[in-house]
Amino acid sequence: MLPDSRARPWPLWLLMIACAGGQGCGGADERPDAGPAVAATPAPALRVVALTDLQGYLEPCGCSENMLGGIDRFAARVAALADEAPTLFVAAGDLFHGPEQHAGPAAEDAERWRREAARDVLAGLGLAATVPGAEDLAHRAELSALLAADPFPLVVAGELPGDDASPLRTQAGVLVAVGELRVGVLGVTSVLAPGPSLAAARAEAERLRSEGAQLLVALVSGDRRLARDVREATGARLVVQGGIGRAEALAPSRDGDGWLLHGGRQGQGVLVADLHRPRSPGDDVDLSAWSMATAGEALDDEIAALERRIAGWRAEGRAGAAVDRQVARHATLKAEREALRPPPFPAEGPAFEARWIALGAEAPKDAAVGRRLRRLDRRINTHNQAAFADRRPPPVPEGEAGYVGSATCRSCHGAAYEWWRGTPHGRAYATLEDLDKEFHLDCVGCHVTGYEEPGGATVTWNRDGALTDVGCESCHGPGSLHVAEPAAHVPPVAPPESLCVGCHNEEHSTAFVFAGYRALLRGPGHGLPSPDAAGSR
């Protein structure tokens, strides 16, 4: 597994490899690519750039500084990569639909505009082919309308169920000229039965070769077993796999004389595979620092587990030949670990090098794509403000507490209120207003109080600003009964982690650790002594 730069530091040895490869290691915010390992590696004969499971994401939430992704960053990086070598750009899995998109006529307008933006950007980057995933095909009518003008080929080996109302043009594969190579690209999706799909893929591979394909790339939306079966059936040199529901990219996996590749989801990075002398006989020499990182992690885990066992045996006073063999094995593994290095570029024969480039905040952006995204933000904002103008929260059931707004809490908890105003929670709504996103359905729920709760806020209604921001009642519950009878109705003081992770999850708050964040929520009158005793709590 590729080390997750959002969750833990990169190993020092991998940073050293990245520095040696010219990636740069000067700043604390820099994320090294998983390769390349060899600074003197020449330009490849073929570069495959791949996107897996975009799921309609155009940009990260932006609530955390270290969030990855953004189609404007993706576009800039793909263009730069294509300037360096003959490049084939492909995609696999769900491009346009994901599990978190909003339903309903008013919401669907904004979702359609987002899909159109993604389509146009990908077409502008020269997407050579894509295989659809299950979510995209579950929205057949929308997909058909979106791709009616054939912005890029939809490749599917096998016959999709007919739908006269929503005709979807597909083909089993395409032949693409890339530099001096003719590359065949075919697609297989798990939506179809594997037997007929594999037979159709095998036939398409034969057709592409008969028409001059010198190398095959298979696009798969499905599990790892399907990817392996497709590679075996077609003899594809590369299998780009989406549709496995995995956030992180997977290191390249050798399969026979080919490779299986997966680039994560939601456009958080760019998957790159470089092929050198791909028509030469023999197996590829794997130059990938990514592969070395994965092998190193596996060895580190094995060494650590063995060390624990040996320490336990010694604590128990155990000795003998069996223990000696494990000690010797430990020494062998340590030596193997220390010797682990990417091989030098071969003098002859084929070579392969894969990397996954994280698209962090430091990644350059395509200016034209960025301007389109900002126009789209404003369009959605204006649309939603009108479309949801009459939306109101459910009524508060008789006898239950309703929301009153943080300003009401101020009269008794003045110090806590003033402290809260200076926290990110106290400025949460303004961050959306600054970006023209205060009426975006994806965003507003985590920036107001009591969203869609009885008596709480909605996408457009927050009681004249009383429920903007992540207020007191977001953590302590609706306060009307407490205001009426403070002693009789005491709200919970410490919110549970389950409440926080509704917003502070991997989609919005990548560095969230409950205990650490909770400690930051202590201030004067809010867990700490207050200058004003009347405002303490």
Side-chain angles (χ1 to χ4, degrees):
M1 182 181 70
L2 178 67
D4 188 345
S5 61
R6 298 170 300 170
R8 56 191 173 91
W10 284 72
L12 177 59
W13 71 273
L14 182 54
L15 284 169
M16 294 173 66
I17 287 176
C19 291
Q23 299 306 304
C25 298
D29 292 332
E30 294 179 359
R31 289 181 179 86
D33 300 342
V38 183
T41 301
L46 173 67
R47 168 167 288 166
V48 176
V49 172
L51 174 65
T52 58
D53 297 319
L54 180 64
Q55 298 179 339
Y57 276 70
L58 297 181
E59 56 187 343
C61 167
C63 291
S64 295
E65 292 182 359
N66 61 339
M67 298 187 79
L68 303 179
I71 201 166
D72 48 354
R73 293 173 180 149
F74 185 88
R77 184 54 68 105
V78 171
L81 289 165
D83 284 343
E84 299 171 355
T87 297
L88 175 73
F89 174 33
V90 294
D94 293 309
L95 274 184
F96 304 110
H97 293 86
E100 297 185 358
Q101 295 180 346
H102 301 279
E108 178 56 28
D109 287 337
E111 297 292 354
R112 185 179 71 256
W113 298 334
R114 288 191 179 100
R115 292 193 291 267
E116 290 170 351
R119 175 201 63 195
D120 294 347
V121 171
L122 298 176
L125 291 173
L127 181 61
T130 181
V131 63
E135 285 287 339
D136 278 346
L137 290 175
H139 297 80
R140 178 79 168 264
E142 294 95 327
L143 188 63
S144 299
L146 189 66
L147 303 182
D150 294 325
F152 37 74
L154 203 63
V155 290
V156 179
E159 188 172 350
L160 291 169
D163 187 345
D164 294 338
S166 303
L168 188 63
R169 285 189 287 272
T170 67
Q171 53 197 106
V174 293
L175 190 61
V176 184
V178 188
E180 298 180 358
L181 288 173
R182 291 170 64 80
V183 182
V185 184
L186 56 89
V188 176
T189 179
S190 62
V191 171
L192 300 179
S197 290
L198 291 172
R202 186 180 295 109
E204 180 62 13
E206 293 173 358
R207 183 191 73 81
L208 290 168
R209 287 192 177 98
S210 71
E211 294 187 4
Q214 298 161 309
L215 181 145
L216 289 183
V217 174
L219 309 178
V220 173
S221 181
D223 60 22
R224 185 48 58 107
R225 178 177 180 178
L226 180 61
R228 294 188 185 281
D229 288 345
V230 169
R231 209 220 63 78
E232 182 179 0
T234 64
R237 187 66 163 273
L238 301 179
V239 176
V240 177
Q241 178 188 17
I244 63 175
R246 181 186 177 90
E248 298 86 8
L250 283 170
S253 174
R254 193 186 292 267
D255 188 81
D257 59 355
W259 298 91
L260 308 182
L261 302 166
H262 168 69
R265 61 181 170 89
Q266 299 175 356
Q268 295 184 5
V270 182
L271 176 63
V272 184
D274 287 345
L275 297 177
H276 302 269
R277 298 191 286 264
R279 300 182 63 196
S280 298
D283 292 335
D284 286 320
V285 174
D286 185 7
L287 304 174
S288 309
W290 192 359
S291 298
M292 297 301 104
T294 304
E297 285 190 336
L299 281 170
D300 287 340
D301 291 344
E302 189 174 2
I303 290 168
L306 187 54
E307 286 174 347
R308 288 192 296 270
R309 288 199 298 271
I310 292 172
W313 294 333
R314 287 175 172 167
E316 295 169 0
R318 293 177 58 181
V323 174
D324 291 342
R325 282 195 297 271
Q326 295 305 312
V327 171
R329 179 167 170 264
H330 176 265
T332 299
L333 290 174
K334 289 281 285 184
E336 183 179 344
R337 180 66 179 83
E338 292 171 2
L340 189 62
R341 295 287 185 278
F345 188 79
E348 58 184 15
F352 165 87
E353 185 175 14
R355 51 187 166 140
W356 185 82
I357 305 172
L359 296 176
E362 75 284 356
K365 298 180 179 181
D366 183 287
V369 174
R371 288 191 295 271
R372 173 160 189 171
L373 293 181
R374 301 292 74 77
R375 290 195 300 270
L376 178 60
D377 287 338
R378 292 191 290 271
R379 183 183 188 187
I380 292 173
N381 222 37
T382 301
H383 169 272
N384 285 359
Q385 186 177 15
F388 298 104
D390 297 329
R391 189 158 182 156
R392 294 293 181 269
V396 178
E398 186 176 352
E400 295 190 11
Y403 290 91
V404 297
S406 298
T408 303
C409 307
R410 184 179 189 179
S411 59
C412 293
H413 305 279
Y417 178 89
E418 296 301 332
W419 168 82
W420 163 78
R421 265 294 174 215
T423 69
H425 281 171
R427 304 187 302 271
Y429 199 71
T431 63
L432 296 185
E433 293 177 311
D434 292 344
L435 298 171
D436 295 309
K437 291 187 176 184
E438 68 268 30
F439 302 118
H440 282 220
L441 296 176
D442 291 335
C443 304
V444 67
C446 288
H447 292 252
V448 295
T449 299
Y451 184 66
E452 295 291 348
E453 296 291 331
T458 72
V459 62
T460 56
W461 190 82
N462 53 46
R463 295 184 54 189
D464 294 326
L467 300 180
T468 57
D469 304 314
V470 182
C472 308
E473 295 165 292
S474 295
C475 297
H476 304 295
S480 63
L481 297 181
H482 175 65
V483 170
E485 298 182 86
H489 299 280
V490 179
V493 174
E497 182 175 2
S498 59
L499 177 66
C500 303
V501 297
C503 289
H504 291 284
N505 51 49
E506 66 176 8
E507 300 294 340
H508 310 126
S509 187
T510 56
F512 179 74
V513 177
F514 178 65
Y517 269 53
R518 182 176 173 181
L520 296 175
L521 295 178
R522 290 164 54 85
H526 196 262
L528 296 178
S530 170
D532 177 7
S536 63
R537 183 170 179 161

